[in-house]
Amino acid sequence: MEITLLGFNDFHGHLEPPGVAVTATGASGKSVAVPAGGAAYLAGAIAARRSANKHTAVVTAGDMVGASPMVSSLFLDEPTVEALNLMGVDFSATGNHEYDQGSQELLRLQNGGCEKFTAKQPCQISKPFKGAQFPFLAANTLRADGTSLLQGTGVKFFEENGARIGVGFIGMTLRTTPRMVRPSGVAGLSFADEADTANRLIPALRAQGADVIVVLIHEGGYATSGLQDASCAGLSGDILPILDRLSPDVDVVISGHTHQAYLCDYRRVNPSKPFLLTSAGRYGTLLTEVQLKVDTGSRKVMHKSARQIIVQGEAIASGSGKVPLQPEFPVFGADAAVSQLVSTYHSSVAPLAAQASGVLMGGASRTPGKAGERVLGRLVADSMLYATHDLASGGAQIAFTNPGGVRADLLPDAATGVVTYGQLYAVLPFGNNLVVASFTGEQIQRLLEQQFASGTNTVTQPRILQVSRGFSYGFDLSGPAGQRIVDMRLDGAPIQMTETYRIAIQSYLSTGGDNFSVFTEGKDVMGGMLDLDALVAYVGEGTAQQPLALPLAARIERLD
């Protein structure tokens, strides 16, 4: 029996085409930029591939919601859940972003209803919101009493000529989710080891009739192999230790979190682990098609393969110009029902999104430089300092923002330099409040050291905080832990270890987000406005006569 799995991950509510091109190899052997994404086209691609094989399951590896564009997040990601319903998703693992608004809101997305658990109003368009028509799988997310928050596993059965084959799915998020979500979002929850959880659940799935075992996990890696290359070349990342402890009974691992696209026949890495590993990048630009050939007598998988399908639907405009359709790759039609859904929500949000919010001198990118700084990261940090520097607002002298909280490049209109509210919303979609607190110079040094030595922040994968104007420092990754930060300065004067400084951060960091626990030590804490409102006010200083200049000069120096 031929069984098809269609998988994707890290959709992040990108209902409209995200303006992303996928680099692929064309027939001539040259690299080609292929425009990709958009929920209606993703639904079209799923429908096209489902029509090729009636034995198909559609699954995701998490982060379907959260950190979403305005057209979804302004409505608490209800439209994304509704789009996934229309696509016919069978099972969806939870990612860390599913917990952004707390477990009660996650349960509302699953079960439906209009109960309010956040600052935003639910059921603005859908009255009532019916919830996901597929199970969120969260096998390793546990309540205080040890029970699962959500369903952990599921089985889908396929029948042909009297034979019946069951495919069992285990869905999990990464166990370090509490380090990536504000504490209130995961209050009362714990996250068990991923490999231990999957291995423990396989016998129960077998007892339910599962002949094939598939793990949907929101953890991932990186690879240097090409888009359709399953050689596992350069495979690295936090998923590897999990894979090496997974039972060899697992047939397929569909992963996510790193926003990378890869295919990997993992036997090439570890011959004792003969599963297929996949990830479909981000934002619905790719759909991974896994083909399984199952012998109905032995009920074993005899062959498995995978390929990446580029979700090409329409030409896009990018920062470097228009990306046309590439006819040598499939072009998918838009699903009518999903198109109508997206149009409804777009129409509701369009007037607010289109409002001009200021004028920039050029585009601000999230691309990191040598020291991990980003032009847009500096701009956001500057806006936070702008909103909090006066005494009435906290008297901030320095501002820090985490790079993961900045979610989209800021590209003004090429002719006028105008940026819209919708663009600024896409940059800061989380709705964090600004917080100003007092820290000593010694604490500032310790928190900066945590960029390289705290949880998932390591020397090989540092998490560089973006800093506001006036503050500067250097770092040397070849130095010993705790001694990598040097020459901290504020307005040219050395930071004094015993002196107290007022620091502006977002509420996410103030509770220790991204493993920066030192931020929880702040004194004389004062709350402030939304970070988005601060950015809107700051960018609003730019006018047609005097556009806002971009912070291009480096503030952090890498010394090694």
Side-chain angles (χ1 to χ4, degrees):
M1 184 184 296
E2 300 283 348
I3 295 175
T4 299
L5 307 178
L6 300 176
F8 59 104
N9 51 274
D10 296 277
F11 185 64
H12 289 291
H14 277 76
L15 298 173
E16 298 174 301
V20 172
V22 172
T23 302
T25 302
S28 65
K30 295 181 179 180
S31 292
V32 179
V34 185
Y41 300 119
L42 178 59
I46 289 172
R49 298 315 305 154
R50 187 187 275 122
S51 68
N53 184 3
K54 63 180 180 180
H55 304 317
T56 296
V58 181
V59 295
T60 91
D63 276 9
M64 294 298 99
V65 300
S68 309
M70 192 175 182
V71 71
S72 182
S73 65
L74 194 67
F75 305 101
L76 285 167
D77 286 314
E78 292 172 4
T80 292
V81 172
E82 292 169 338
L84 297 175
N85 287 341
L86 292 172
M87 292 178 198
V89 169
D90 291 291
F91 301 102
S92 180
T94 57
N96 52 288
H97 281 289
E98 267 79 7
Y99 300 87
D100 281 344
Q101 304 298 330
S103 59
Q104 289 181 304
E105 176 62 11
L106 173 55
L107 289 172
R108 189 187 73 85
L109 289 181
Q110 174 71 91
N111 301 319
C114 299
E115 193 169 356
K116 187 175 181 180
F117 298 111
T118 76
K120 295 176 183 175
Q121 183 63 44
C123 300
Q124 297 177 55
I125 304 296
S126 295
K127 302 178 184 294
F129 170 63
K130 295 180 180 179
Q133 305 305 299
F134 54 88
F136 287 118
L137 299 184
N140 67 329
T141 304
L142 307 176
R143 294 187 175 96
D145 62 2
T147 59
S148 295
L149 176 70
L150 291 157
Q151 184 175 325
T153 64
V155 183
K156 184 168 184 176
F157 292 96
F158 302 97
E159 296 186 9
E160 183 178 87
N161 299 326
R164 189 171 191 249
I165 296 295
V167 181
F169 298 91
I170 302 169
M172 297 177 291
T173 190
L174 67 172
R175 64 176 174 174
T176 55
T177 289
R179 299 175 185 169
M180 301 177 181
V181 179
R182 68 185 73 183
S184 61
V186 292
L189 300 177
S190 62
F191 295 80
D193 180 89
E194 304 96 333
D196 289 347
T197 299
N199 294 343
R200 175 177 55 82
L201 292 172
I202 290 173
L205 277 176
R206 294 289 197 209
Q208 295 172 47
D211 306 297
V212 180
I213 302 296
V214 180
V215 171
L216 311 174
I217 182 170
H218 193 71
E219 179 61 282
Y222 304 84
T224 58
S225 51
L227 189 65
Q228 307 293 0
D229 179 3
S231 68
C232 314
L235 186 67
S236 63
D238 292 335
I239 198 170
L240 266 66
I242 300 170
L243 298 176
D244 286 332
R245 292 173 46 239
L246 272 183
S247 166
D249 286 343
V250 174
D251 295 291
V252 181
V253 178
I254 295 177
S255 64
H257 186 55
T258 58
H259 291 199
Q260 302 298 301
Y262 48 79
L263 306 173
C264 170
D265 181 354
Y266 201 68
R267 287 175 295 187
R268 303 187 184 195
V269 177
N270 185 340
S272 68
K273 309 291 182 180
F275 37 74
L276 193 62
L277 170 68
T278 74
S279 177
R282 59 177 181 154
Y283 303 163
T285 55
L286 293 170
L287 181 68
T288 305
E289 183 177 67
V290 177
Q291 298 286 3
L292 304 174
K293 186 174 183 178
V294 184
D295 181 80
T296 55
S298 66
R299 314 184 79 80
K300 300 290 186 183
V301 177
M302 307 307 294
H303 179 75
K304 49 196 165 190
S305 62
R307 65 173 181 140
Q308 304 285 19
I309 298 170
I310 302 174
V311 181
Q312 180 178 214
E314 64 181 55
I316 60 171
S318 72
S320 56
K322 189 173 183 179
V323 180
L325 290 173
Q326 299 294 339
E328 64 180 298
F329 296 89
V331 178
F332 297 99
D335 179 270
V338 176
S339 290
Q340 181 58 53
L341 173 78
V342 175
S343 177
T344 297
Y345 282 97
H346 174 87
S347 297
S348 297
V349 80
L352 176 60
Q355 287 181 6
S357 292
V359 182
L360 286 181
M361 198 167 285
S365 168
R366 294 175 298 157
T367 303
K370 176 184 175 183
E373 280 194 280
R374 305 144 198 259
V375 174
L376 186 51
R378 296 187 198 111
L379 183 70
V380 170
D382 286 350
S383 74
M384 294 165 59
L385 186 64
Y386 169 85
T388 58
H389 75 279
D390 64 274
L391 290 178
S393 301
Q397 299 161 278
I398 303 168
F400 293 115
T401 187
N402 59 309
V406 180
R407 303 301 297 191
D409 292 342
L410 190 55
L411 304 174
D413 180 84
T416 65
V418 169
V419 293
T420 65
Y421 183 81
Q423 288 177 295
L424 297 178
Y425 190 103
V427 172
L428 295 175
F430 290 109
N432 280 295
N433 287 92
L434 297 184
V435 174
V436 182
S438 295
F439 296 86
T440 64
E442 183 269 340
Q443 287 174 311
I444 294 173
Q445 180 165 8
R446 281 198 290 117
L447 71 87
L448 292 176
E449 293 284 352
Q450 288 189 312
Q451 297 175 122
F452 323 113
S454 179
T456 53
N457 306 338
T458 65
V459 168
T460 55
Q461 290 185 310
R463 193 185 306 271
I464 304 298
L465 294 168
Q466 309 297 287
V467 305
S468 58
R469 62 181 180 274
F471 181 71
S472 64
Y473 69 92
F475 67 85
D476 184 348
L477 293 182
S478 67
Q483 300 179 41
R484 297 178 177 126
I485 299 296
V486 298
D487 197 27
M488 296 186 299
R489 293 179 177 270
L490 179 59
D491 296 328
I495 293 288
Q496 302 299 315
M497 292 296 100
T498 58
E499 189 172 332
T500 297
Y501 300 86
R502 296 290 282 170
I503 309 295
I505 50 180
Q506 287 123 322
S507 51
Y508 172 71
L509 284 178
S510 73
T511 54
D514 280 347
N515 307 302
F516 290 101
S517 60
V518 176
F519 279 127
T520 65
E521 301 174 11
K523 305 294 185 183
D524 301 320
V525 178
M526 182 175 179
M529 66 174 66
L530 288 174
D531 55 2
L532 173 61
D533 292 343
L535 182 61
V536 169
Y538 185 60
V539 171
E541 293 289 314
T543 64
Q545 294 73 33
Q546 189 171 355
L548 186 68
L550 296 177
L552 301 178
R555 298 163 183 176
I556 306 170
E557 182 179 7
R558 181 168 179 172
L559 303 173
D560 58 292

